[in-house]
Amino acid sequence: GPSQNRINEREARIFWVALILTPLLWAVFFIIAIFRLNVKWMLLVVIALVLNGANLYGYFKCKVGSTESFSSVTTDFLRKQVLQNAVSFVTREGTTPQANPMSQPSNTI
């Protein structure tokens, strides 16, 4: 029902704070790993930092992108796909396959 689709502001705030603080915490771990010259842990921290950064970026793009209407996004996507298909069809039609000169028969008596 309609009560299921409501967003609790407190829960949303906790979610976003945790989502932002997690990459910051990994950045602190990265600095510690640099000062201790521990390459093994630095690799782990870099992987975690990249994955958490991608997660934050994705959620941020979804939140900002939610202002666009779904129909405009799908229309733009379909328009782009039709244009790509038309260009690939035209370029495919304009090229003819080159014959291999070694495969042509020779005149022998």
Side-chain angles (χ1 to χ4, degrees):
S3 64
Q4 288 180 331
N5 293 334
R6 285 189 328 176
I7 298 173
N8 187 346
E9 291 298 321
R10 182 183 298 162
E11 289 177 357
R13 191 173 304 119
I14 291 170
F15 171 78
W16 283 102
V17 167
L19 194 65
I20 292 170
L21 287 181
T22 306
L24 294 177
L25 181 65
W26 283 112
V28 170
F29 288 152
F30 179 74
I31 292 169
I32 292 170
I34 286 176
F35 284 131
R36 289 189 179 177
L37 297 174
N38 197 340
V39 178
K40 181 172 47 174
W41 287 106
M42 195 181 321
L43 180 63
L44 175 74
V45 170
V46 167
I47 292 170
L49 190 58
V50 167
L51 291 175
N52 277 292
N55 194 25
L56 175 64
Y57 177 75
Y59 274 109
F60 183 73
K61 289 294 281 186
C62 284
K63 182 163 180 73
V64 172
S66 66
T67 58
E68 292 185 59
S69 70
F70 184 73
S71 63
S72 69
V73 172
T74 54
T75 303
D76 291 341
F77 175 76
L78 289 175
R79 196 174 299 149
K80 182 179 173 183
Q81 289 299 318
V82 167
L83 183 63
Q84 273 184 336
N85 288 342
V87 168
S88 69
F89 179 76
V90 168
T91 56
R92 193 172 0 128
E93 288 290 320
T95 60
T96 58
Q98 297 292 331
N100 187 359
M102 298 301 285
S103 66
Q104 293 180 359
S106 60
N107 294 332
T108 56
I109 299 179

